[in-house]
Amino acid sequence: MSMSLFLLIIFFAMSMLGVPLAVALGLAGVATLLLFTPMPFDLLTQTMFSSMNSFLLVAVPLFILVGAVMERGRVAERIFDFAEAMVGWLPGGLGHVNVISSVIFSGVSGSSVADIASVGAIEIKAMERHGFPKGYAVGMTLCTATLSSIIPPSILVVIAGSIASVSIGTLLVAGLVPGLFIAFAFMVFNHFYSVHYGYNPPSPFVLRTVIVTGLSAILPMLTPVILVAGIASGVFTPTEAAAVAVVYVMVLSILVYRTIPLAEVPEILISTARISGTILFIAATSQLAAWIFAFEGLPDKVAVLLDAVSVGPISGLLVIFVFLLIIGIFMEAIPAMFILIPVLLPPALSLGIDPMHFLVVMVMTLTLGLVTPPVGVCLFAAAQVANMRVEDVIRGSLAPMAVLTLAIFLLVLFPVLTLGPIRLMGLYP
Amino acid sequence: MRLHRLTFGRAVELVADGAAGAACGGILLIVLMQVAGRLLGRPLPWTEEAVRFLFVWMVFLGLAAGFRTVESARVVVFMAMARGFFRHIAVPIYVGSSVLFFLITGWTGITLVRQQIMMHETAATLPLPMWTIGLVMPVSSVIAILAIIESLRTRRSLIALPEPGIPAGELAHADVNMTARTQP
């Protein structure tokens, strides 16, 4: 039996028994090493240690810290009010407000579940109040929350860039236009849906409200501007930009809005360290699996297979897209990225697929797993926030989920949406 | 007896969470010093290495702390559906596999530290022997095992039977820390 296959079988068997994924991967790696190679199992610790001795990954806890401070700083209401003033007057207004709030909150938090837990709860109540069916309100909230996974400062994008060893700054900026494109797709869908069913007819546009709510929300909304502008202009590395953003959001929450007492800061740091350790645990143990895959030449075998079933970069990426759609249903995005990027990226490059385009598509496709059972944490979060049965949330989400899938499919077909902006900005050759 | 138990739990929390949180604060501070140094035209070459080393300590202590609160990502759907025998073995499987893993990393971690001492490995810019960084492997393994014991005492139900949905207090960042205690 192939060593990679053996490793995967042991890993999946242990995972199904409820063993922590990182532990399952580490133990499967050790068992494979002992049975198939002459290498000592000390390799586990060595690969774990060296994989974490990386400056690139330092951005991860800092981005988590930015999101944690903003989430506890209770900026969701300010963002929602501003979004409502901006687009609430359109036909199907509250549906558009839902999308725009999520776009703005994405630029602040970087976490989809944080979106649902904070701004999502307000969105659902407001949409219901304006006559939208609860299922539709929850479905839209659930699917628009995935924008946090791609719009900077997405933590998933930082992790994907670190695994693939590409410029994290460029990759973060590369996610912006695809994120906005998906948001636009949601708005188009919401427009036709709302007009068809007569939900939330147009109301007058009030410029004064836009200005007042805009001024109230402008300070938190500057966070993504600091991040993206700092990185794109070359003033900061992504890690440095995240650290500067942490200071900015701390000043906002502690001194300006006074929503976080100073005494709460140590607890936020501890929580960030624990979340980072938990996320990066799988990064550490997946290194041994990646070493075994490379030792056996699995990426080359996948390249041959991909070459056989595809005729060019786009069809190759479509095959990968379908594969990731299936994987995303069963495995969460972060472990899937750590296991699959080392296996899929080299074959994708040999097919002529651009690495930035590949990574953006991969992150977005795996993000679909956040909204589908059985491992969709966003799905369960939405059900909890809305106090609905999971089955009802799924039913309400089918149409927005189809829109999301179609939008990602279009992103696969049109690499220019990802690569055009970063080339225009001179960030990418 | 109760006092002793509380002390044990508090000690594990202080060592794992406290040290990891301090490392996180240290990373933030040093990255800011790096930015300030560069913008002021006085770059501090040691900062990158210091950040990397603090990061290594933070990650491994953080993952150990995650076991105290049963936060490590796992697929619980199948166990949640299981009945009878499989439900009964959920806790022994979780604890047994995790402890075995950390025994391996603890043991091989000691080997790593011994190698670093024997080879006289030192950091490139900081006056630090590398074993002070490698030491995190056995140290975090021991803390993780203690954290698993503590979680068995205080959060056994979370290990045995995941709650439907995500506890309200843990919603934020559940997609990135993957506390997917979910069932269909």
Side-chain angles (χ1 to χ4, degrees), chain A residues 99-138:
Chain A
V99 179
I100 296 296
S101 307
S102 291
V103 168
I104 300 173
F105 197 79
S106 300
V108 171
S109 90
S111 158
S112 300
V113 180
D115 181 299
I116 291 176
S118 46
V119 77
I122 307 170
E123 289 164 357
I124 293 167
K125 277 185 198 146
M127 283 180 77
E128 261 195 288
R129 213 170 40 239
H130 282 77
F132 282 94
K134 193 173 184 183
Y136 179 73
V138 178

Side-chain angles (χ1 to χ4, degrees), chain A residues 45 112-113 235 240 279 384, chain B residues 17 38 108 166 171 175-176:
Chain A
T45 314
S112 300
V113 180
V235 175
E240 292 171 349
I279 292 172
Q384 206 159 349
Chain B
D17 295 36
R38 209 189 53 239
T108 52
I166 303 161
L171 277 175
D175 54 338
V176 289

Side-chain angles (χ1 to χ4, degrees), chain A residues 18-29:
Chain A
V19 175
L21 291 174
V23 169
L25 201 53
L27 289 178

Side-chain angles (χ1 to χ4, degrees), chain A residues 181-244:
Chain A
F181 172 74
I182 294 170
F184 178 70
F186 281 132
M187 288 180 80
V188 171
F189 161 73
N190 176 65
H191 173 84
F192 286 109
Y193 186 90
S194 304
V195 168
H196 181 73
Y197 289 105
Y199 296 138
N200 206 180
S203 54
F205 172 78
V206 185
L207 183 64
R208 189 174 173 279
T209 316
V210 176
I211 295 170
V212 170
T213 54
L215 286 175
S216 160
I218 192 147
L219 292 177
M221 287 195 309
L222 281 178
T223 316
V225 178
I226 293 173
L227 284 166
V228 175
I231 294 167
S233 63
V235 175
F236 305 126
T237 64
T239 306
E240 292 171 349
V244 171

Side-chain angles (χ1 to χ4, degrees), chain B residues 106-118:
Chain B
W107 178 255
T108 52
I110 292 171
T111 313
L112 177 77
V113 172
R114 283 171 59 189
Q115 269 175 10
Q116 288 173 328
I117 293 172
M118 273 169 33

Side-chain angles (χ1 to χ4, degrees), chain A residues 56-69:
Chain A
L56 274 178
L57 284 172
V58 177
V60 174
L62 294 177
F63 275 100
I64 290 174
L65 193 50
V66 174
V69 174

Side-chain angles (χ1 to χ4, degrees), chain A residues 57 59 75 130 142 147 154 208 234 237 270 280 382 391 414:
Chain A
L57 284 172
V75 294
H130 282 77
L142 172 61
L147 294 169
S154 157
R208 189 174 173 279
T237 64
I270 288 171
L280 294 168
E391 302 90 288
F414 301 104

